[in-house]
Amino acid sequence: MNIDELTSVARAIVTGQKGILAADESGPTIKKRFDAIKLECSEENRRRYREILFTAEGVERYLGGVILYDETLRQSTADGVPFAELLMRRNIIPGIKVDGGAKPLALHPGEKVTEGLDGLRERLQEYKQLGAKFAKWRGVIEIDAADIPSSYGIRANAHALARYAALCQEAGIVPIVEPEVLMDGAHDLARCETVSLQVLQTVFDELAAHGVALEGMLLKPNMVIAGMKSPQQADVRQVAEATMRCLTRHVPPAMPGIVFLSGGQSAEDATHHLNAMNQLGPFPWQVSFSYGRALQAPVLERWQGVEQNVAEAQKILLRRCELNSLACAGKYDSGMESSAFSPP
């Protein structure tokens, strides 16, 4: 492990108000997205869609990294340039999703643990040869009854995240550690904050126990938000304050950056919340984004699988990335949304 190289990559992803495009949807997830626009989920359509995202003119000004899926890391542009190479040419760092998905946690009904550690060392070596410089692993924490999540459920996911992170650094790959407390459910803001605090404390305890160098990793947490079924929804300021209160208590300053997941929020809400959090700063780490749906949903809606719509869809992606970059500096304003989907 070369900590200087890991630190350099981690910092490069988030410097200059840049963030990450999460384009790492699994097969079933991308099928759902394509079904919504009535497009066949063929390998060529998936390849073409990712090509549209990665070739959008100007996105390198706002994106420091892109998370790819196994299939996508092995694909190329129509003229034969591997996607990882294409991104590097644009000074966008390619990464790879490496977890095997969340599965039921044995003897703990209602809880899940992420699998995929078996054979990960060998897969990381291959992914590095294919051009990946960082990786991502998602641990899923659901909030349900008073006893879910259990302390064991949290610990099981934190342990897996730390083992993954240690393997990444051993391979010379920057790990993005993603402990996601889901927005599903009827819990209020306070309950989400309590669980998020427990999760972060446990995750960083496990990272320390495994010897993970915080300077060479990034954290991808959830925002502290009430469950979607909760009748008590917090406003933007409350979400920002609760989230940053949670993070400042448990995230060491040695880590270069926090890249939030959008977690099912609308594109506008995710940007509003990111902006409000940065307005509370400065913080010891860069506070940025690693959005999937919040960047892609407007793009898919405009593209519809029609080639004549590609240019406009790419302009929408560029504008969405620009707005989130502004939010990284606390300079976003809701009035900017009126022109968000017009050519900038």
Side-chain angles (χ1 to χ4, degrees), residues 37-310:
I37 60 171
K38 297 181 173 57
L39 180 66
E40 179 189 1
C41 190
S42 65
E43 181 179 354
E44 172 53 25
N45 283 339
R46 293 193 297 271
R47 190 209 63 79
R48 177 57 181 146
Y49 173 57
R50 266 57 183 265
E51 183 178 29
I52 289 168
L53 296 175
F54 305 158
T55 58
E57 184 177 354
V59 292
E60 67 274 7
R61 298 198 297 267
Y62 313 115
L63 294 179
V66 172
I67 309 173
L68 307 174
Y69 191 56
D70 181 275
E71 175 188 72
T72 317
L73 183 60
R74 303 174 192 278
Q75 290 176 328
S76 303
T77 63
D79 55 359
V81 179
F83 282 147
E85 181 181 334
L86 169 74
L87 293 169
M88 285 298 294
R89 287 180 184 177
R90 308 188 70 185
N91 293 317
I92 300 173
I93 299 173
I96 180 70
K97 168 190 166 74
V98 299
D99 67 69
K103 305 294 172 61
L105 181 60
L107 304 182
H108 285 73
E111 297 189 84
K112 294 181 179 179
V113 66
T114 301
E115 298 183 349
L117 288 169
D118 289 348
L120 180 57
R121 176 178 277 118
E122 292 73 25
R123 287 193 291 125
L124 287 169
Q125 292 171 355
E126 181 187 12
Y127 288 145
K128 188 173 184 179
Q129 291 176 348
L130 290 170
K133 294 185 177 297
F134 71 93
K136 192 207 77 168
W137 179 290
R138 175 176 177 249
V140 177
I141 308 294
E142 298 186 45
I143 300 178
D144 195 353
D147 58 347
I148 295 179
S150 66
S151 59
Y152 176 73
I154 293 173
R155 192 164 68 252
N157 277 285
H159 182 79
L161 281 164
R163 283 189 61 193
Y164 139 81
L167 285 165
C168 282
Q169 292 193 338
E170 177 189 78
I173 289 176
V174 170
I176 292 185
V177 172
E178 181 180 359
E180 179 180 4
V181 178
L182 296 177
M183 288 175 58
D184 305 333
H187 56 276
D188 61 13
L189 185 79
R191 174 88 165 119
C192 183
E193 183 174 1
T194 297
V195 172
S196 296
L197 280 167
Q198 292 175 316
V199 169
L200 287 173
Q201 179 176 351
T202 308
V203 165
F204 280 97
D205 285 348
E206 288 288 344
L207 289 169
H210 284 72
V212 174
L214 301 186
E215 296 89 342
M217 63 161 276
L218 297 171
L219 179 71
K220 182 173 178 176
N222 57 281
M223 299 178 194
V224 176
I225 297 177
M228 290 186 290
K229 298 177 184 176
S230 172
Q232 300 175 331
Q233 292 295 319
D235 62 29
V236 171
R237 180 80 179 188
Q238 290 173 316
V239 168
E241 290 176 343
T243 302
M244 300 320 293
R245 182 167 59 240
C246 190
L247 291 166
T248 52
R249 288 177 178 175
H250 286 294
V251 180
M255 205 182 56
I258 293 172
V259 289
F260 283 101
L261 57 89
S262 52
Q265 300 177 64
S266 70
E268 293 83 356
D269 284 348
T271 309
H272 273 291
H273 287 138
L274 179 63
N275 185 70
M277 285 185 282
N278 275 294
Q279 288 182 335
L280 297 174
F283 300 104
W285 359 259
Q286 297 292 321
V287 177
S288 187
F289 60 94
S290 178
Y291 292 164
R293 194 184 318 175
L295 289 177
Q296 294 186 48
V299 179
L300 274 168
E301 184 178 347
R302 185 66 191 93
W303 177 48
Q304 296 288 320
V306 178
E307 282 299 307
Q308 292 92 320
N309 296 337
V310 167

